[in-house]
Amino acid sequence: MTGDSVRDGEPGAADGRADGSGPGGNRDVWLIVPCFNEGTVIEDVLAGARETFPNIVAVDDGSADDSAAAIHRAGAHLVRHPVNLGQGAAIQTGVEYARAQPGARYFVTFDADGQHQVKDVQAMVGRLRSEPIDIIVGTRFGRPRGEDDQVPLIKRLVLRTVVLLSPRTRRLGLTDAHNGLRVFNRRVADELNLRMNGMSHASEFVELMDSHGWRVAEQPVDILYTEYSMSKGQSLLNGINILSDGFVGRRLPR
């Protein structure tokens, strides 16, 4: 893993107030963005997010394209894996980097392909600041389905199946355990130790919520499905692989 910092005049965490308000607002929040061959879109995604959340670490997970250069141009912190290790490994690397930064109190896992919305992160961070919660998970199914609902049928079936087959997920009251938008506090960041490198890290995240007794809540969020993001979306086969990895992961020593 290699890392560097890119910002001229990057503000310090001390500029912000404890509640995130004021000129230094959200300086205690770090977005963790795993990235693999997202050079087409990641500069715009990061630049847009930095207007509200100035502290972002993007983990270039062995990309073969110009993702690293795009991350530099967007002004985010850049950490690089020399080879592709998978999204779970990239998130763990990003969390370890972010939690080492002075003043870091809140952490967000945020996709690089433009599916996640900054407005949802603002709402989730606001709840985390004011409610007795350790982690909030985004959900695509936390409210009645609207006419503009973009969740593809195959993805809806896969995600529902994952929940149906996971007693732990149901026990925690989660309806969309594989939503990549999560906001959590310092306790979760310090205790997080993902071992599943690939997409099945989401199931491992749920296991950790349960085993560590983290206080969990959900937040309805809007996922923006574009032609680009759909081209990189999960297939039914990926869903089966997630279930298989989860079965193996439960048997790994911690």
Side-chain angles (χ1 to χ4, degrees), residues 4-6 67-76 78:
D4 58 5
S5 295
V6 186
S67 291
I71 293 167
H72 269 289
R73 289 194 298 270
L78 169 65

Side-chain angles (χ1 to χ4, degrees), residues 166-177:
S166 171
R168 192 191 306 268
T169 301
R170 298 199 305 276
R171 185 166 61 248
L172 291 170
L174 298 176
T175 59
D176 188 9

Side-chain angles (χ1 to χ4, degrees), residues 117-177:
Q117 309 297 305
V118 170
K119 66 177 179 61
D120 290 327
V121 179
Q122 289 178 288
M124 295 165 80
V125 170
R127 287 187 63 190
L128 203 62
R129 291 186 189 280
S130 61
E131 299 180 24
I133 301 170
D134 294 313
I135 180 169
I136 304 175
V137 184
T139 177
R140 286 158 277 201
F141 311 119
R143 57 194 168 198
R145 188 177 183 185
E147 294 182 357
D148 58 347
D149 189 313
Q150 290 186 309
V151 183
L153 177 60
I154 187 66
K155 184 178 288 289
R156 184 178 292 274
L157 291 173
V158 168
L159 295 172
R160 292 292 196 188
T161 301
V162 169
V163 172
L164 183 65
L165 297 178
S166 171
R168 192 191 306 268
T169 301
R170 298 199 305 276
R171 185 166 61 248
L172 291 170
L174 298 176
T175 59
D176 188 9

Side-chain angles (χ1 to χ4, degrees), residues 2 53 97 177 188 194 198:
T2 60
F53 297 99
Y97 181 92
V188 172
L194 295 173

Side-chain angles (χ1 to χ4, degrees), residues 103-124:
R105 298 180 62 199
Y106 303 102
F107 306 83
V108 182
T109 58
F110 193 86
D111 281 0
D113 58 7
Q115 287 193 339
H116 293 160
Q117 309 297 305
V118 170
K119 66 177 179 61
D120 290 327
V121 179
Q122 289 178 288
M124 295 165 80

